[in-house]
Amino acid sequence: MTEQQKHFPEFYVTTSQPCPYLPGRLERKLFTHLTNDKPLALIDNLLKGGFRRSQNIAYMPYCEGCHACVSVRIVVDEFAPGRSMRRTLERNRDLVSRRVSAIPTSEQFSLFRNYIDARHSDGGMADMTVLDYAMMVEDSVVRTFLTEYRAKPDYALDTREETWPLTAVALCDRLSDGISMVYSFYEPFEEARSLGTYMILEHIDYARRLGLPYLYLGYWIEGSRKMSYKTRYQPQEHLGSSGWVRVPGGR
C-alpha cells in the first residue's frame, strides 16, 4: 500500500433499514472511518462537504431514489434573530455558557439520560449506557468541545459557577470555516425556555465572535416535522450537486 493509498479514506455502504424520519422509506448510509493517520484537512473537507460525524465515523445518506436529506449551514454574519428568538434569548438570560474539553462527566450523563428517557425513549439512543455516552463525547480525531449551560441560582455569589445546576449541553466540532453542532441535550421539563433554540442562537453568536462564517446544523429533511425547525435560521445555505447554495427562507 502506497502512502497516498494509506491516507485516502475507504468508503462503505450500510444495508437498508427503515428510515427513522420518513415512514415507509428505507435508508442507507455511506461511511468511512476517521483515524489519526488521515490528514486533518481531508477530514475537515469531509465534514464541510455533507458528511456528519458520529464518534470516529463520518457518514452521509446514500438512499436509493431519495434525496430528502440536505446539509444545512447558517450564514453567521448575516443572521439576525426574529422576535420569538429574541424572547428566547431573554428567557434564558440567567444561563451561563462554559466551553469545556470533550471529557464526559456523571453530571452530563444524568442530564443526557433524563433527556433521552423523556423525549426519545423509543429512539436509537434509548439503550445508551454511561460507557456509550463517554465514547460519544471522547471518541474524536477532530477539535471537539462541549458547551455546558448552567442556571445562575439566587445564591450564586456564595458558590462557584461549575456547581450551578446543569441545564443543557452541546457537543460540537470546530471546523476550519465554522462550528458543527453534533448533538445537544437539555433539561426536558424546562419547555418554556426553548433550550434547543437557545443553544443554536448562542452558538451562532459564539461562531461570530470567533470570526467563523458558518454554523453547521446537520441535515434538514424535507417532509420531516422533526427537522422543520432548521429552516427558521436565516439566511442559510443548502448543499446540492453544485455545492453550497443560499436558499430562500421557509423552504
Side-chain angles (χ1 to χ4, degrees):
M1 179 182 293
T2 67
E3 193 67 19
Q4 183 176 7
Q5 289 174 323
K6 178 181 176 181
H7 292 322
F8 192 81
E10 295 181 334
F11 292 95
Y12 309 90
V13 178
T14 65
T15 58
S16 296
Q17 298 180 12
C19 176
Y21 297 102
L22 300 175
R25 299 196 192 183
L26 297 175
E27 71 163 4
R28 292 193 306 174
K29 290 184 175 72
L30 178 71
F31 71 95
T32 186
H33 295 281
L34 303 179
T35 54
N36 287 312
D37 62 342
K38 301 292 188 298
L40 288 178
L42 183 149
I43 297 174
D44 186 68
N45 284 331
L46 285 175
L47 299 180
K48 292 188 300 183
F51 280 81
R52 294 290 287 170
R53 185 186 67 80
S54 177
Q55 297 174 223
N56 277 327
I57 290 177
Y59 68 90
M60 69 186 312
Y62 196 69
C63 308
E64 187 173 354
C66 180
H67 304 283
C69 295
V70 180
S71 294
V72 173
R73 68 185 185 186
I74 301 167
V75 183
V76 166
D77 282 344
E78 298 179 47
F79 173 82
R83 184 180 302 174
S84 66
M85 291 181 181
R86 291 196 298 271
R87 287 198 295 266
T88 296
L89 290 170
E90 181 65 25
R91 282 195 297 269
N92 291 285
R93 286 183 62 187
D94 63 322
L95 293 186
V96 175
S97 60
R98 204 165 152 260
R99 318 296 165 190
V100 298
S101 299
I103 299 173
T105 67
S106 57
E107 185 184 27
Q108 294 166 10
F109 179 69
S110 178
L111 180 63
F112 172 79
R113 280 289 3 146
N114 289 344
Y115 173 76
I116 293 295
D117 292 343
R119 297 294 183 91
H120 303 288
S121 60
D122 59 347
M125 303 177 102
D127 297 327
M128 282 183 64
T129 65
V130 65
L131 179 60
D132 295 327
Y133 174 76
M135 292 178 65
M136 181 178 79
V137 173
E138 291 180 322
D139 211 5
S140 172
V141 298
V142 299
R143 295 174 62 186
T144 299
F145 65 93
L146 292 165
T147 304
E148 293 184 341
Y149 299 87
R150 296 182 180 273
K152 185 176 181 179
D154 295 336
Y155 51 85
L157 292 177
D158 302 324
T159 57
R160 301 190 313 276
E161 185 179 295
E162 59 267 27
T163 67
W164 297 354
L166 184 63
T167 305
V169 176
L171 176 67
C172 296
D173 292 339
R174 171 76 181 268
L175 307 182
S176 62
D177 68 351
I179 294 172
S180 174
M181 298 192 74
V182 177
Y183 194 75
S184 59
F185 53 94
Y186 49 85
E187 174 54 59
F189 303 110
E190 293 271 11
E191 294 183 1
R193 285 186 178 272
S194 300
L195 288 165
T197 297
Y198 177 73
M199 283 190 280
I200 292 175
L201 295 174
E202 199 274 334
H203 276 83
I204 291 173
D205 181 65
Y206 182 50
R208 182 183 289 122
R209 286 186 278 121
L210 291 175
L212 298 172
Y214 302 112
L215 181 70
Y216 290 80
L217 292 185
Y219 300 118
W220 167 71
I221 303 175
E222 186 173 11
S224 171
R225 292 183 61 186
K226 291 180 181 180
M227 295 295 177
S228 62
Y229 72 91
K230 294 184 181 182
T231 60
R232 297 175 58 211
Y233 304 90
Q234 298 291 332
Q236 64 179 232
E237 297 178 351
H238 289 187
L239 183 61
S241 57
S242 57
W244 288 99
V245 178
R246 185 172 299 208
V247 297
R251 175 176 167 178

